[in-house]
Amino acid sequence: MTKTPRAVVVGPGYIGEVHADALRRNGVVVAGFVGSGSEAGRARARDMGIPSFASLAEALDSGPVDCVHIATPNHLHAPLALEAISAGKHVVCEKPLAMNPEEGRALLHAATVAGIVHAVNFNFRFYTLVRQMRALVRTDALGPLYLIHGGYLQDWLLFASDWNWRLDPTLGGNLRAIADIGSHWLDLAGYVTGQQPRALVADLATFVPERQRPLRPVQTFAGKELAPDEYDVIRMNTDDYASVLIDFDHGARGTLTVSQVSAGRKNRLSLEVSGAASSAAWTSERVEELWIGHRNRANELLLRDPPALLPDARAVTTAPGGHAEGYIETHRALFRAVYAAIAAGWPPDEPDYPTFGDGLRSLVLGESIARSARERRWIEPDLAKDQ
């Protein structure tokens, strides 16, 4: 690693800016943005004072780079990651890791052979009270788990005039709501509880059958302002919604509901676990609170405050109690863990950040969910061969 770590971010859109901001706050030099070459992309780079490059190769040739962050549409994840690995660079990739499990397996193999640090941006793992919830499970404070349930609800694709590249299967893949946000819940449920689905049955639906695709570049949500001659009507076949019934491998049962068409829910991930002794629940709409439920005494509402936390949770919190931590801080914490591994020069035996292996597991689960919905039956995901 260079004396001061240096990174390149591919994709100067919203999530690319989040990566760049979090990296800078961690003391990492953002050596360049790689975009489509559009004026909008160059303008974002100028606004952040970051050099702009037309290709990853050009950015890597411009000077020393330790790590490549991939924040592009999904279809570019695998080829860009392979290009970075071939150049000997560490990689942080947005989810989903790839378009399908086959691509994911190829990426994991290439990263393992190259010996590089590899991570997938499942940032929800790094909310402080998620870590507290996990610590309660690991210390058996909740008792054996009976139920693992929750969902991820959004409304940003509620209207037929809402458009985004994720709606195009050639760019986003054949799964949409499950791949885009359901993957976060599945990863988080496994991370918090230590349990993975051994069987599942799923229902998928497309509630908005046709959408208005703009004929000219527009910002997200601007499509509703277009005149009829400024858009095409496109038939939709990717999922607006999914519900999944899950049998977990250590005996718990669970349910997951995912939607991008739930009015008023801007970005609500919820996870609740019910054990033989107590329950715990957390939601991304109230990230500073962890609800803990009891049978024979008063329930608790734990507010994030470092002295009140178990050690694993205290390790990722940075602000005093009452000083809200949020979405950006999760990226800072994830990247701190990744760059500590980069500084060591080799991936740790037990990474404390999500890896390409976790990304591959998500892809296998997504494929199983799609197959279950298509065949209308229970499916047993083949997770063992990828571990």
Side-chain angles (χ1 to χ4, degrees):
M1 186 179 76
T2 53
K3 186 175 182 181
T4 299
R6 294 170 61 86
V8 163
V9 178
V10 189
Y14 168 73
I15 194 61
E17 293 182 37
V18 170
H19 279 243
D21 179 68
L23 287 167
R24 284 175 152 182
R25 289 171 184 257
N26 283 350
V28 177
V29 173
V30 182
F33 263 138
V34 179
S36 63
S38 69
E39 179 52 39
R42 290 191 292 270
R44 291 189 192 98
R46 285 197 302 270
D47 289 345
M48 297 191 74
I50 298 172
S52 178
F53 298 97
S55 69
L56 178 56
E58 181 183 344
L60 296 180
D61 286 343
S62 69
V65 172
D66 298 293
C67 187
V68 174
H69 288 241
I70 300 171
T72 65
N74 302 346
H75 72 297
L76 296 174
H77 290 181
L80 286 167
L82 286 172
E83 182 179 355
I85 293 168
S86 297
K89 308 304 178 185
H90 308 288
V91 179
V92 176
C93 186
E94 274 298 322
K95 51 79 212 156
L97 175 62
M99 294 286 270
N100 54 60
E102 290 69 32
E103 285 187 352
R105 291 186 186 98
L107 285 177
L108 178 58
H109 176 74
T112 302
V113 170
I116 57 107
V117 174
H118 49 89
V120 176
N121 191 29
F122 287 126
N123 62 293
F124 281 87
R125 293 187 182 196
F126 288 84
Y127 279 104
T128 299
L129 292 182
V130 163
R131 290 292 183 104
Q132 179 76 4
M133 194 177 185
R134 180 174 184 255
L136 291 174
V137 172
R138 295 181 76 179
T139 58
D140 206 31
L142 306 182
L145 297 187
Y146 294 157
L147 306 178
I148 303 167
H149 56 103
Y152 202 151
L153 307 179
Q154 298 176 329
D155 72 357
W156 71 294
L157 293 174
L158 178 61
F159 301 135
S161 54
D162 295 327
W163 186 262
N164 181 268
W165 60 260
R166 291 171 177 84
L167 293 159
D168 183 345
T170 64
L171 304 180
N174 292 324
L175 282 176
R176 190 204 333 137
I178 279 291
D180 188 24
I181 55 178
S183 59
H184 271 301
W185 192 93
L186 290 163
D187 178 78
L188 196 66
Y191 177 72
V192 167
T193 68
Q195 300 196 32
Q196 296 294 336
R198 64 183 170 192
L200 56 84
V201 62
D203 176 48
L204 304 181
T206 304
F207 291 116
V208 184
E210 294 181 341
R211 291 185 180 270
Q212 299 167 9
R213 182 179 64 185
L215 297 177
R216 57 179 173 82
V218 294
Q219 293 182 350
T220 302
F221 306 122
K224 62 180 70 70
E225 303 168 1
L226 297 177
D229 61 350
E230 294 183 302
Y231 60 79
D232 285 331
V233 175
I234 303 298
R235 189 76 183 172
M236 290 289 104
N237 56 16
T238 56
D239 45 306
D240 289 324
Y241 143 93
S243 280
V244 189
L245 193 64
I246 304 171
D247 174 16
F248 287 94
D249 58 5
H250 293 312
R253 299 298 176 95
T255 57
L256 162 65
T257 297
V258 174
S259 167
Q260 293 178 318
V261 292
S262 294
R265 292 303 187 187
K266 304 306 176 186
N267 196 55
R268 185 181 190 271
L269 185 152
S270 61
L271 176 65
E272 182 166 343
V273 294
S274 302
S278 298
S279 299
W282 177 88
T283 172
S284 62
E285 290 183 341
R286 305 181 72 91
V287 299
E288 295 279 274
E289 300 175 358
L290 179 65
W291 179 86
I292 304 171
H294 305 289
R295 164 71 183 269
N296 292 326
R297 59 188 174 94
N299 296 334
E300 304 171 57
L301 189 64
L302 175 65
L303 302 182
R304 186 196 58 80
D305 187 24
L309 301 175
L310 293 169
D312 285 351
R314 197 179 309 130
V316 299
T317 195
T318 57
H323 297 71
E325 291 180 345
Y327 181 75
I328 300 299
E329 283 75 22
T330 64
H331 291 81
R332 291 187 64 192
L334 192 158
F335 298 163
R336 279 196 299 271
V338 169
Y339 280 79
I342 291 173
W346 194 265
D349 292 336
E350 296 184 7
D352 55 352
Y353 52 86
T355 68
F356 281 12
D358 298 302
L360 174 55
R361 181 187 302 112
S362 175
L363 293 170
V364 173
L365 290 174
E367 182 180 64
S368 298
I369 288 169
R371 182 181 172 196
S372 171
R374 184 173 61 250
E375 300 179 3
R376 306 192 69 79
R377 67 182 182 90
W378 283 85
I379 295 292
E380 296 180 1
D382 190 2
L383 298 175
K385 72 177 182 180
D386 296 315
Q387 304 308 306

